[in-house]
Structures are given as structure tokens and as C-alpha cells.
């Protein structure tokens, strides 16, 4: 065993849920008012080998030490390469991986570190084209993915900046929608000030702050109020930075023999865990939860995880038999 893929999802309760386990946190289900639990899933070679249930308000990064302990104690894995998403990266987690003799391939959060922006800005060398995935090949115009390695600040650390045409198109569209919503509200505020309906500078500032707090408006616009006139404009620092981010993401590793293209392909395989979550939630009905005790909650998720294991086994049997049938259709 070499590559271990780990990701988290959440599943929510109808009702209060068990005290201590059910808590409000970042909801992946779009249900921020519902209490939830986090479910971590570990996959190796496309197979789910372990899962773990965490409190609903636990930080993603704080789940990693428990998963590493499981892999070492339950499975006796000597050396793994941990593949995780942006929420898993803390200096302590990376230190724990190094200390255990393990490797890692992780995504870096774009906005939480000025270091990541510097890496993106330093990506001025030649881009290497990555092989197109199956879903991309099925499109009339197959979107491409490019990667280049940039110099890291620490010895032994390797950093890859990736540019995805598909991601770039999506993020540009989302940004245009958000800017349009914010601009309309700022224009309405500008008219209110011009007509004298809002005069106090403190109230004008509070209204502008409320508008910019929604739809990520502070990333795109800034404002000024001079001589009783309100005006807004594209933010001179934040807006160019947002445009630089679009379509880009950063991967970090310390594996010395990994090529840039291999790093991208392995990181992209995390999407297999995301597809697993979709099966758990929508096919196997892991959500919502109605239980009131921790044991019943854990048992419910355990049965769902076993059902997903069987689902994956059926899927592989169907592929081996060359039958054009999904596991869900077969069931």
C-alpha cells in the first residue's frame, strides 16, 4: 500500500442529535442551521478501507492525526503517501507525517496564505500539459490542464502550480455573477446617498460594509465617501489578486521522484472520494440522521460505509464482466 486518499464530508440531523457529537459547523449539505457530524473516509486503490465519525464542529485538519493513528495501528502500514485536500494542511500535520516516515501530496488553500499567492505569481516558466481525463474527452472542446513546478521556500519541499481551463471558466462565471449582484446593490446605495436619503457618513459606511460582506464583495470592490458623495470602484489590490487566482490551484509535496504530471493526477484522484460521498449520501441514504445517541449515529454511518463497500464491489464486478451497467442500476 502506498497512496492513501482521505477526505471529509458532513451529514446532518433532523432534531437535536446526540449531545457532544452533534454540533453546528461548516455544512457540506447546505444546512448550516442543522446540527451535524463529520465523516472521514479513507480509500486505497479505489476501495474504502476505513471511516471515522467526528464531532460536527471539529476542524478538518484536527481529524488527520486520528486517521494516521488508525492507518498505522489497525493496518500496520509502514510508509504511506497521504493525499488530502486544502483543509488538511497544518504545519503540525505535515510534521507528524514526516516524523512517521510518511509522505504527502496536499492542496494549499489559496486565500489563507500570502505564500500561495507568491507561488502563483512566480509561475512564469513553461507549462506542461497534463493528459485529459475521461469526462473531459467526452466534451466537444476538451478543457486542458497545465502544470509547472516553482521554487519553494523550504528545502525538500516541492510546489506545483496548476492551471485548469475548466476551473478557470467556472470561476470567471461565478465571479461575474457575484460582481453583478454586488454592483447593483452599490449602485442603489449610491442613488440613496445622491438623493439625500442617507447622509451620515457612519451610516453610509455601515451600509457599504453590509453589501460588501455578501457575495464576497470585498474581494472585488472598494468605496469612498467624500463631500457627501458616495462612489465605488474595483479594489486596486484584491480584484487583480482574484483574477490571478482564477483557474489556479497549488499542490505541495516532499516526494523527490514524483513528476509534475503525476502529482496532478494523484491529487485529482481525490475526486474518487467525493464520488464515494455522493453514493453514501444519495444512493445509500446516509443523510439525514434521526438518532439521539452517539452509538446509534455511529452504527448508522457504519452500515452505510459497509453498504458503500458492497456498492464498490458490485461496480468492479460489472466492469470486469464488461457490462454497461452501473452498480445503482444493477441493484
Amino acid at each position: 500500500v502506498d497512496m492513501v486518499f482521505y477526505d471529509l464530508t458532513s451529514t446532518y440531523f433532523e432534531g437535536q442529535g446526540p449531545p457532544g457529537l452533534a454540533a453546528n459547523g461548516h455544512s457540506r449539505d447546505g444546512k448550516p442551521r442543522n446540527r451535524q457530524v463529520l465523516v472521514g473516509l479513507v480509500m486505497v486503490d479505489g476501495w474504502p478501507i476505513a471511516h471515522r465519525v467526528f464531532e460536527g464542529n471539529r476542524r478538518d485538519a484536527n481529524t488527520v492525526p486520528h486517521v494516521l493513528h488508525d492507518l498505522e495501528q489497525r493496518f500496520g502500514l509502514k510508509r504511506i503517501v497521504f493525499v488530502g485536500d486544502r483543509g488538511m494542511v497544518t504545519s503540525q500535520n505535515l510534521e507528524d507525517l514526516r516524523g512517521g516516515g510518511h509522505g504527502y501530496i496536499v492542496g494549499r488553500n489559496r486565500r489563507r496564505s500570502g505564500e500561495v499567492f507568491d507561488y502563483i505569481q512566480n509561475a512564469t516558466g513553461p507549462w506542461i500539459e497534463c493528459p485529459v481525463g475521461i469526462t473531459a474527452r467526452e466534451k466537444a472542446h476538451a478543457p486542458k490542464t497545465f502544470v509547472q513546478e516553482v521554487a519553494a521556500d523550504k528545502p525538500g519541499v516541492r510546489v506545483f502550480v496548476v492551471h485548469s481551463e475548466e476551473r478557470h471558466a467556472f470561476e470567471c462565471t461565478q465571479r461575474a455573477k457575484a460582481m453583478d449582484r454586488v454592483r447593483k446593490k452599490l449602485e442603489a446605495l449610491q442613488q440613496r446617498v445622491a438623493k439625500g436619503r442617507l447622509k451620515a457618513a457612519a451610516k453610509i459606511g455601515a451600509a457599504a460594509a453590509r453589501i460588501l460582506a455578501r457575495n464576497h464583495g470585498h474581494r472585488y470592490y472598494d468605496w469612498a465617501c467624500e463631500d457627501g458623495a458616495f462612489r465605488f470602484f474595483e479594489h486596486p489590490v484584491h480584484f487583480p489578486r482574484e483574477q490571478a487566482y482564477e483557474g489556479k490551484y497549488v499542490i505541495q509535496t516532499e516526494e523527490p521522484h514524483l513528476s509534475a504530471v503525476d502529482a496532478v493526477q494523484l491529487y485529482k484522484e481525490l475526486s474518487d472520494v467525493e464520488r464515494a460521498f455522493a453514493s453514501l449520501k444519495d444512493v445509500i441514504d446516509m443523510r439525514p440522521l434521526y438518532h439521539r445517541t452517539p452509538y446509534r449515529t455511529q452504527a448508522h454511518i457504519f452500515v452505510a460505509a459497509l453498504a458503500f463497500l458492497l456498492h464498490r464491489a458490485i461496480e468492479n464486478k460489472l466492469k470486469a464482466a464488461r457490462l454497461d451497467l452501473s452498480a445503482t442500476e444493477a441493484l
Side-chain angles (χ1 to χ4, degrees):
V1 172
D2 195 31
M3 297 293 168
V4 172
F5 297 86
Y6 174 65
D7 208 349
L8 278 167
T9 191
S10 59
T11 185
Y12 62 91
F13 290 89
E14 293 293 354
Q16 295 301 305
L21 189 61
N24 292 99
H26 170 59
S27 174
R28 278 99 167 158
D29 300 302
K31 299 269 188 178
R33 295 183 181 179
N34 292 56
R35 293 186 178 183
Q36 64 176 23
V37 288
L38 296 182
V39 181
L41 185 67
V42 179
M43 294 187 71
V44 173
D45 291 334
W47 290 96
I49 66 164
H51 78 283
R52 190 149 183 160
V53 182
F54 299 99
E55 303 89 343
N57 57 357
R58 186 181 284 243
R59 282 188 61 209
D60 291 5
N62 291 343
T63 67
V64 175
H66 299 277
V67 174
L68 286 177
H69 181 265
D70 276 357
L71 291 169
E72 291 172 349
Q73 298 300 315
R74 289 178 58 195
F75 300 100
L77 302 184
K78 300 302 179 189
R79 186 181 188 276
I80 64 168
V81 177
F82 179 89
V83 186
D85 214 343
R86 298 180 296 275
M88 313 298 172
V89 181
T90 65
S91 56
Q92 185 58 54
N93 284 345
L94 297 185
E95 193 58 44
D96 289 346
L97 283 161
R98 290 188 202 102
H102 304 306
Y104 65 86
I105 301 169
V106 291
R108 294 287 306 269
N109 193 301
R110 294 187 297 188
R111 292 186 177 86
R112 289 185 186 171
S113 170
E115 182 182 63
V116 173
F117 179 69
D118 292 338
Y119 288 145
I120 291 173
Q121 291 293 89
N122 292 338
T124 56
W127 293 95
I128 302 167
E129 187 174 340
C130 300
V132 176
I134 294 170
T135 52
R137 283 200 297 269
E138 291 172 349
K139 298 180 180 179
H141 171 67
K144 296 176 181 177
T145 300
F146 301 91
V147 61
Q148 63 174 280
E149 186 169 357
V150 298
D153 298 335
K154 298 174 184 174
V157 174
R158 302 177 67 200
V159 173
F160 304 101
V161 176
V162 187
H163 176 77
S164 164
E165 289 182 346
E166 187 172 31
R167 186 169 181 157
H168 185 262
F170 172 76
E171 290 181 347
C172 282
T173 303
Q174 293 300 103
R175 189 243 310 155
K177 287 180 183 176
M179 288 185 73
D180 188 51
R181 293 190 191 107
V182 175
R183 186 178 64 254
K184 286 176 180 176
K185 290 177 181 177
L186 288 172
E187 285 171 348
L189 176 60
Q190 193 174 40
Q191 289 175 6
R192 284 173 64 197
V193 175
K195 292 176 181 178
R197 294 177 185 171
L198 203 61
K199 295 180 180 179
K203 290 185 177 180
I204 294 171
R210 282 194 300 271
I211 293 169
L212 295 180
R214 297 171 185 167
N215 298 299
H216 306 298
H218 61 278
R219 296 179 183 173
Y220 315 120
Y221 292 109
D222 201 358
W223 61 275
C225 188
E226 298 161 347
D227 301 325
F230 175 82
R231 65 185 182 91
F232 65 94
F233 44 88
E234 290 176 353
H235 200 291
V237 176
H238 297 170
F239 183 55
R241 177 170 288 210
E242 284 303 308
Q243 289 179 306
Y245 282 143
E246 286 168 1
K248 305 265 192 327
Y249 58 96
V250 173
I251 300 171
Q252 181 174 315
T253 185
E254 291 184 33
E255 293 299 293
H257 306 300
L258 202 66
S259 74
V261 171
D262 288 342
V264 174
Q265 287 181 322
L266 287 166
Y267 184 69
K268 279 187 172 184
E269 283 185 34
L270 269 177
S271 60
D272 197 34
V273 187
E274 291 171 9
R275 285 193 295 273
F277 289 145
S279 292
L280 275 168
K281 290 182 174 183
D282 300 326
V283 179
I284 299 168
D285 294 336
M286 188 176 74
R287 67 179 178 188
L289 299 169
Y290 297 92
H291 305 292
R292 298 179 184 177
T293 68
Y295 300 113
R296 289 188 176 186
T297 300
Q298 290 165 345
H300 178 107
I301 293 168
F302 181 54
V303 171
L306 289 178
F308 173 64
L309 177 62
L310 291 173
H311 191 271
R312 184 51 62 97
I314 292 167
E315 196 174 72
N316 287 344
K317 287 284 187 182
L318 290 166
K319 279 182 184 176
R322 297 183 179 179
L323 290 171
D324 187 19
L325 199 63
S326 72
T328 306
E329 290 169 330
L331 287 165

